[in-house]
């Protein structure tokens, strides 16, 4: 479909609005059902007050279809048609005259969908948007459209019918699997929380470079696909194989490299076995959407989501650890401790709770109220969540629903509000391994793993 702006003008003395019959004819022709019959979708229509001109924003397969529909207007006055685009298209295209790129998902469509689903967009090139935390209220999983999006490069638009996953390197039988073959392997479904390692980055002080995430770069979905070990066993691991490299179809330029690089991450075979990593083709019962990795992505339960490689096209089995840019140069904690530099790779998610209700600034009536949210950890299930109101003692919240490792857990505390005024709500999670949240997470150079205790300021009225 193409978008158009139509300017329709009359001389004041021939304005059809003055002639009741003509006016009715055009009014009915302009109705949405009448336009739809002609293959035209009217998005908006307006007449500037005191003028004799009508402006339409309309969608049609092409200009000829629109022209045929506009014939009665042409008889009544002047018609000018302009080929249009959307603000999302212009911003994501980088300029007013940019044209869409081949092989990539139209960045404007992806951006528009994300906006309409209510994501808070941080960047359109590549598209990055976070989930709105008050929207977390509801089911165990996030609806797909509201699942946060984190992309390092533009989004590939892969053809599922032509797609193949190659498995090579130190294997007995190199594989090239199409989606049908993958669907025929044993499938498994798991509810898994993905959190971007940079979630909460914007709260580090002093500020750090990188995507300025609030706390919504986290979501949960039920992922369905083939256990990665199943595919590796089919390929047959050669002796000495210890490491895997996962390559996505996306690529682009990064600091310190003058040619584009592919998005790549690695895991050891032990890590694959421990996590039960999945080659997922479905998200909440629907095929993956392009922004989330269509047609196939890796899901590594418990790990920060950078390892869950989207648009996965290649797995290489080797005996060398992955040296890719996003493995070796990014996704490391760099701390300055006692005057010494220390570092560690970003791996399992830290324990963390978020408050989804009340919302920041929300006005709550006196009386009974429910404080709610989610909590998760990459190490194990959540064992408890404590809530503190206005700096008071910690009170244990009730955990709701099934306890699943690698998936967030809902919690709730019902309390009575007896006094009006500001209400500072804080929530702190503890996992089965006994890890709990710090008051303030340790600052690190690239701003990863910020699991400082979440607080929300509401008002009791
Ligand atoms: N191929 C590829 N996979 C990728 C990325 C990427 O840029 N390219 N981003 C990673 C990061 S940093 C995160 S947080 C998650 C985000 O997954 P989502 O967009 O489905 O929420 O995908 C990971 N997998
Ligand atoms: Mo991420």
């Amino acid at each position: 479909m193409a978008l158009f702006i139509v300017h329709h003008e009359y001389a004041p003395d021939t304005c059809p609005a003055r002639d009741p019959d003509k006016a009715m004819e055009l009014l009915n022709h302009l109705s949405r059902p009448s336009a739809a019959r002609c293959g035209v979708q009217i998005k908006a229509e307006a007449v500037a007050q005191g003028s004799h001109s009508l402006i339409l924003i309309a969608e049609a397969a092409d200009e000829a279809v629109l022209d045929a529909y506009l014939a009665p207007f042409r008889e009544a006055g002047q018609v000018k048609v302009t080929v249009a685009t959307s603000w999302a298209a212009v911003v994501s295209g980088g300029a007013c005259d940019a044209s869409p790129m081949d092989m990539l998902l139209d960045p404007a469509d992806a951006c528009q969908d994300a906006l309409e689903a209510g994501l808070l967009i941080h960047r359109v090139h590549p598209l990055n948007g976070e989930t709105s935390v008050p929207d977390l209220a509801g089911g165990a999983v996030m609806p797909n459209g509201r699942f946060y999006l984190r992309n390092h490069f533009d989004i590939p638009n892969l053809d599922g019918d032509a797609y193949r996953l190659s498995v090579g390197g130190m294997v007995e039988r190199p594989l090239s699997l199409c989606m049908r073959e993958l669907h025929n392997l044993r499938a498994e479904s798991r509810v898994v929380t993905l959190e971007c390692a940079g979630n909460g980055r914007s709260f580090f002080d002093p500020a750090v470079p990188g995507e300025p995430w609030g706390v919504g770069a986290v979501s949960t979905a039920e992922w369905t696909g083939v256990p990665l070990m199943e595919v590796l066993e089919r390929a047959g691991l050669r002796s000495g194989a210890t490491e895997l490299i996962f390559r996505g179809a996306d690529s682009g330029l990064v600091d310190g490299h003058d040619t584009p690089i592919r998005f790549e991450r690695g895991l050891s075979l032990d890590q694959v076995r421990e996590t039960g990593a999945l080659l997922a083709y479905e998200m909440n019962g629907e095929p993956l959407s392009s922004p989330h990795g269509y047609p196939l992505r890796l899901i590594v339960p418990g790990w920060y989501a950078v390892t869950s490689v989207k648009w996965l096209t290649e797995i290489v089995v080797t005996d060398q650890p992955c040296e890719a840019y996003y493995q070796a140069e990014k996704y490391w904690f760099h701390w300055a401790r006692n005057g010494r530099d220390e570092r560690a790779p970003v791996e399992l998610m830290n324990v963390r709770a978020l408050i989804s209700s009340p919302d920041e600034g929300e006005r709550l009536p006196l009386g009974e109220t429910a404080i709610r949210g989610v909590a998760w950890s990459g190490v194990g299930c959540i064992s408890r969540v404590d809530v503190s109101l206005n700096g008071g003692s910690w009170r244990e919240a009730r955990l709701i629903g099934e306890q699943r490792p690698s998936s967030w857990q809902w919690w709730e505390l019902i309390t009575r509000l007896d006094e009006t005024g500001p209400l500072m709500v804080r929530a702190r999670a503890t996992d089965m391994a006994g890890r709990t949240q710090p008051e303030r997470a340790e600052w690190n150079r690239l701003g990863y793993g910020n699991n400082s205790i979440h607080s929300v300021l509401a008002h009791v009225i």
Side-chain angles (χ1 to χ4, degrees):
M1 291 297 258
L3 192 67
F4 302 93
I5 302 171
V6 178
H7 294 254
H8 178 34
E9 282 187 34
Y10 317 100
D13 53 333
T14 61
C15 181
R18 296 222 162 100
D19 167 352
D21 292 341
K22 192 74 206 159
M24 284 312 134
E25 188 195 319
L26 288 180
L27 191 65
N28 287 309
H29 187 60
L30 194 61
S31 75
R32 277 158 172 79
S34 146
R37 280 193 292 278
C38 303
V40 173
Q41 206 197 334
I42 310 263
K43 304 282 233 181
E45 161 245 313
V47 175
Q49 275 209 320
S51 83
H52 301 276
S53 63
L54 167 71
I55 292 176
L56 297 180
I57 296 177
E59 245 183 14
D62 55 41
E63 202 164 337
V65 170
L66 182 67
D67 271 347
Y69 167 72
L70 292 173
F73 292 95
R74 231 173 228 116
E75 276 166 32
Q78 262 191 5
V79 174
K80 195 176 139 223
V81 174
T82 316
V83 179
T85 182
S86 67
W87 184 234
V90 171
V91 175
S92 60
C96 293
D97 49 4
S99 56
M101 286 161 283
D102 288 342
M103 307 302 296
L104 293 175
L105 190 67
D106 184 339
D109 288 348
C111 175
Q112 197 72 49
D113 289 350
L115 281 170
E116 277 164 23
L119 290 194
L120 171 66
I121 306 297
H122 286 286
R123 208 155 40 131
V124 292
H125 249 323
L127 184 59
N128 283 307
E130 69 180 80
T131 296
S132 136
V133 173
D135 277 356
L136 290 183
V141 299
M142 289 300 296
N144 292 352
R146 292 200 210 148
F147 200 103
Y148 83 96
L149 279 170
R150 183 12 171 170
N151 298 301
H152 291 81
F153 305 124
D154 285 325
I155 300 171
N157 192 14
L158 300 185
D159 173 358
D161 294 331
Y163 170 87
R164 289 193 164 261
L165 170 69
S166 94
V167 183
M170 295 174 67
V171 293
E172 304 292 347
R173 297 167 292 277
L175 304 176
S176 169
L177 301 167
C178 66
M179 285 312 294
R180 191 174 38 77
E181 290 167 304
L182 286 159
H183 276 274
N184 285 339
L185 296 176
R186 180 172 74 82
E188 210 176 88
S189 293
R190 274 186 78 171
V191 178
V192 173
T193 294
L194 293 188
E195 183 188 13
C196 184
N199 194 27
R201 175 180 287 131
S202 62
F203 301 105
F204 275 120
D205 182 16
V208 285
E211 225 49 24
W213 298 112
V215 290
V218 58
S219 299
T220 299
E222 182 183 46
W223 309 94
T224 301
V226 190
L228 172 57
M229 279 315 298
E230 193 100 354
V231 169
L232 295 178
E233 276 156 21
R234 288 197 163 233
L237 297 168
R238 292 224 301 262
S239 74
T242 52
E243 304 285 331
L244 298 171
I245 294 170
F246 303 94
R247 200 163 282 152
D250 50 336
S251 62
L253 287 170
V254 295
D255 291 347
H257 294 251
D258 24 332
T259 51
I261 61 155
R262 296 271 291 273
F263 185 86
E264 271 178 40
R265 286 282 299 181
L267 278 180
S268 72
L269 274 167
D270 288 342
Q271 289 164 338
V272 169
R273 290 193 186 97
E274 280 158 22
T275 55
L278 210 60
L279 297 173
Y281 43 72
E282 272 181 20
M283 179 177 182
N284 294 329
E286 287 173 25
L288 288 177
S289 64
S290 288
H292 290 295
Y294 178 82
L296 194 75
R297 78 177 297 171
L298 184 63
I299 291 292
V300 187
W303 282 54
Y304 278 111
V306 61
T307 301
S308 293
V309 177
K310 303 192 274 187
W311 316 288
L312 179 68
T313 54
E314 260 176 275
I315 300 176
V316 181
V317 181
T318 117
D319 54 4
Q320 301 293 319
C322 175
E323 287 297 331
Y325 177 80
Y326 288 113
Q327 185 85 34
E329 294 180 48
K330 296 283 169 143
Y331 296 96
W332 282 81
F333 291 100
H334 291 273
W335 301 286
R337 288 176 172 163
N338 308 321
R340 294 230 323 269
D341 279 353
E342 283 183 38
R343 61 175 221 152
V346 164
E347 295 185 345
L348 294 175
M349 294 185 290
N350 284 337
V351 60
R352 188 167 196 181
L354 288 185
I355 301 157
S356 64
S357 177
D359 190 5
E360 185 69 32
E362 193 172 329
R363 289 162 176 275
L364 300 170
L366 278 169
E368 198 161 89
T369 201
I371 315 281
R372 293 200 180 89
V374 290
W376 68 96
S377 158
V379 173
C381 295
I382 292 299
S383 63
R384 60 186 288 158
V385 173
D386 296 282
V387 175
S388 155
L389 302 178
N390 283 337
S393 58
W394 290 105
R395 288 161 63 190
E396 190 166 355
R398 191 167 67 88
L399 301 182
I400 299 168
E402 229 180 290
Q403 279 181 302
R404 301 187 187 91
S406 319
S407 158
W408 70 28
Q409 168 100 46
W410 281 89
W411 54 264
E412 180 181 80
L413 179 82
I414 310 284
T415 187
R416 275 196 70 80
L417 306 173
D418 297 325
E419 258 178 65
T420 56
L423 181 73
M424 171 68 81
V425 183
R426 306 205 310 143
R428 182 186 70 188
T430 306
D431 66 19
M432 293 288 190
R435 301 190 314 171
T436 191
Q437 293 180 250
E439 261 328 291
R440 285 188 63 178
E442 190 176 0
W443 187 94
N444 61 94
R445 239 170 53 207
L446 298 175
Y448 296 126
N450 188 348
N451 68 335
S452 301
I453 293 173
H454 188 212
S455 66
V456 161
L457 184 61
H459 299 278
V460 182
I461 52 166

